[in-house]
Amino acid sequence: MTDVAFSESEERQTLRREVARLAKGYGREYFTQQARTGGKTTELWLEIAKNGYLGINIPEEYGGGGGGIGDIAAVCEELAAQGCPLLMMVVSPAICGTVITRYGTEEQKRRWLPGIADGTRTMAFAITEPDAGTNSHNITTTARRDGDGWVLNGRKIYISGVDEAANVLVVARAEALSPSGERTGKLKPCLFVVPTDAEGFEAKAIPMEIVSPELQFQVFIDDVRLPDDALVGDPRNVGAAGLQQLFAGLNPERIMAASFSTGLARYALDKAAAYARERTVFQSPIGAHQAIAHPLAQSRIEIELARLMTQKAAALCDAGDDTGAGEAANMAKYAAAEAACDAVDRAVQTHGGNGITQEYGMAGLLVATRAGRIAPVSREMILNFVAMHSLGLPKSY
């Protein structure tokens, strides 16, 4: 077989096959059963970790596999393609793992990365606030110095998996110090690792229509006291690298979100195609009719295009090209969310009335894939990014 530049490595392809095999042993029925009964996917999570897939992007010296974001994205996609989309894959190893790997002190890496890699110390991520929304520059959660530690106060919303996390990586604003260590009076973004059992930290579940064992929370942070080294990076450089740290997690976040969407899209399309091959109404399978076949073929094309852009974004990210990866990651996330929404809608239509029953499991995917157009960044903000940064158009917001 000809080795072409855009094909994934044999190692990556093997990884996909092995993850798919593992996830197939659980499947969509397991996932929805856990969601509808208030259960968790802890068993699946820990088996992924045991096989080395959860921390595949974490450096080997901290218990990981030494791979890149493209590897963890492949794991995320294959899980979703088997009907088990794990949102915390986006958050814990990809966002939090990447930020701590790149910017944490040596002691912080050794304290937090092994637990992220083996699944025993899952880490959530908290940036969104009720009154800030997409504008993260307007976050009001603050951290102030108090003796040799910190005191955090603020509110966060739509924070995934807090009930399953040992810690939360919280984005706050703290007074920046000058290069000489003097106070500047300017508040800059900083990232803090906050234990979920800390006094003053409270999380309240938000009722959601998404069928998922992973819950969303509103978080209340009231006078939460933290040690000096809860700040990611060197405490002497408050605010110096906070923005870079935050952006370091955004490209992996978008790449993982894209993989999450393409995995769900693949799952829906596979189910729709199988149904179209078997369901007979007018003397032949419904898939023989172009009204059914063409939309499904269109989804196949859209999904593959989104996957290719996701792989490009991951390759740029792993190569250290943050600027190039930024454009590609945003495009991948946009394309994948659109492809997923369309694929699920077409899958529901292909199933007809069966498409809105719990038995066939298609309708529940409508909300899950629709969320991809909103989070972790809305499709409108991605269009703003492309218009401004890729086309050089004036800023519109």
Side-chain angles (χ1 to χ4, degrees):
M1 187 172 104
T2 303
D3 185 20
V4 288
F6 57 81
S7 64
E8 290 187 310
S9 67
E10 181 57 40
E11 291 81 1
R12 179 78 59 76
Q13 294 176 47
T14 300
L15 171 66
R16 287 185 179 276
R17 288 193 295 269
E18 291 302 309
V19 173
R21 180 189 59 78
L22 186 157
K24 189 175 183 179
Y26 289 84
R28 186 67 183 176
E29 184 176 347
Y30 161 82
F31 187 85
T32 55
Q33 173 72 8
Q34 296 303 98
R36 297 189 189 283
T37 61
K40 296 296 181 184
T41 52
T42 306
E43 183 183 3
L44 173 58
W45 184 261
L46 292 177
E47 187 169 354
I48 296 166
K50 180 181 177 182
N51 283 274
Y53 307 141
L54 183 60
I56 196 166
N57 64 311
I58 303 294
E60 292 183 41
E61 58 265 40
Y62 306 111
I69 198 65
D71 297 311
I72 194 69
V75 174
C76 180
E77 182 185 342
E78 296 307 321
L79 287 167
Q82 295 300 321
C84 298
L86 297 183
L87 185 57
M88 290 306 289
M89 290 286 299
V90 180
V91 178
S92 189
I95 300 176
C96 299
T98 297
V99 169
I100 293 172
T101 295
R102 288 183 62 172
Y103 292 101
T105 64
E106 183 61 28
E107 196 280 330
Q108 289 171 341
K109 293 176 187 178
R110 296 196 178 279
R111 188 193 316 172
W112 291 316
L113 290 179
I116 291 176
D118 67 18
T120 60
R121 303 286 288 176
T122 301
M123 188 174 289
F125 180 65
I127 180 172
T128 307
E129 294 188 359
D131 297 322
T134 301
N135 190 356
S136 57
H137 295 287
N138 281 351
I139 63 172
T140 58
T141 298
T142 56
R144 62 174 175 83
R145 275 288 189 185
D146 185 58
D148 58 356
W150 299 92
V151 176
L152 266 63
N153 281 281
R155 300 286 184 271
K156 299 291 181 180
I157 197 168
Y158 300 121
I159 309 305
S160 305
V162 176
D163 58 332
E164 301 179 71
N167 300 287
V168 182
L169 186 61
V170 175
V171 181
R173 299 175 74 190
E175 185 178 15
L177 301 179
S178 69
S180 61
E182 298 176 351
R183 299 174 63 175
T184 65
K186 298 179 180 179
L187 294 179
K188 297 289 186 179
C190 293
L191 279 70
F192 294 85
V193 178
V194 181
T196 52
D197 61 359
E199 185 176 352
F201 184 94
E202 182 184 355
K204 181 179 180 181
I206 303 170
M208 304 289 288
E209 292 290 350
I210 298 176
V211 180
S212 174
E214 296 170 313
L215 305 180
Q216 298 294 309
F217 291 87
Q218 184 168 5
V219 173
F220 304 88
I221 304 170
D222 295 314
D223 289 331
V224 173
R225 295 185 175 274
L226 300 171
D228 191 41
D229 61 359
L231 173 73
V232 175
D234 189 342
R236 295 170 297 180
N237 296 326
V238 178
L243 203 57
Q244 293 96 321
Q245 292 174 8
L246 181 56
F247 286 144
L250 296 186
N251 285 342
E253 177 188 56
R254 284 149 174 70
I255 292 166
M256 293 293 284
S259 295
F260 188 93
S261 289
T262 54
L264 280 178
R266 285 171 53 198
Y267 173 81
L269 182 59
D270 285 348
K271 292 296 182 182
Y275 188 85
R277 287 192 296 267
E278 298 167 2
R279 174 70 167 163
T280 299
V281 179
F282 295 106
Q283 290 80 50
S284 62
I286 61 174
H289 305 295
Q290 291 178 354
I292 297 293
H294 284 185
L296 298 184
Q298 188 175 351
S299 275
R300 168 72 178 190
I301 294 169
E302 292 167 355
I303 292 167
E304 287 306 303
L305 290 173
R307 293 183 75 206
L308 282 172
M309 182 54 78
T310 304
Q311 291 169 21
K312 175 182 178 179
L316 289 169
C317 188
D318 287 334
D321 184 357
D322 289 340
T323 300
E327 179 186 59
N330 274 290
M331 289 181 173
K333 189 269 178 187
Y334 178 95
E338 297 300 307
C341 285
D342 289 342
V344 170
D345 184 69
R346 291 161 182 163
V348 170
Q349 194 69 19
T350 298
H351 282 78
N354 288 331
I356 52 178
T357 65
Q358 287 190 4
E359 178 184 357
Y360 284 83
M362 290 292 100
L365 296 175
L366 287 169
V367 180
T369 52
R370 188 62 179 79
R373 282 177 168 165
I374 302 168
V377 60
S378 70
R379 66 193 298 275
E380 289 76 20
M381 287 305 295
I382 290 179
L383 292 173
N384 283 337
F385 178 94
V386 172
M388 190 170 101
H389 294 282
S390 303
L391 301 178
L393 300 178
K395 187 175 182 180
S396 60
Y397 59 96

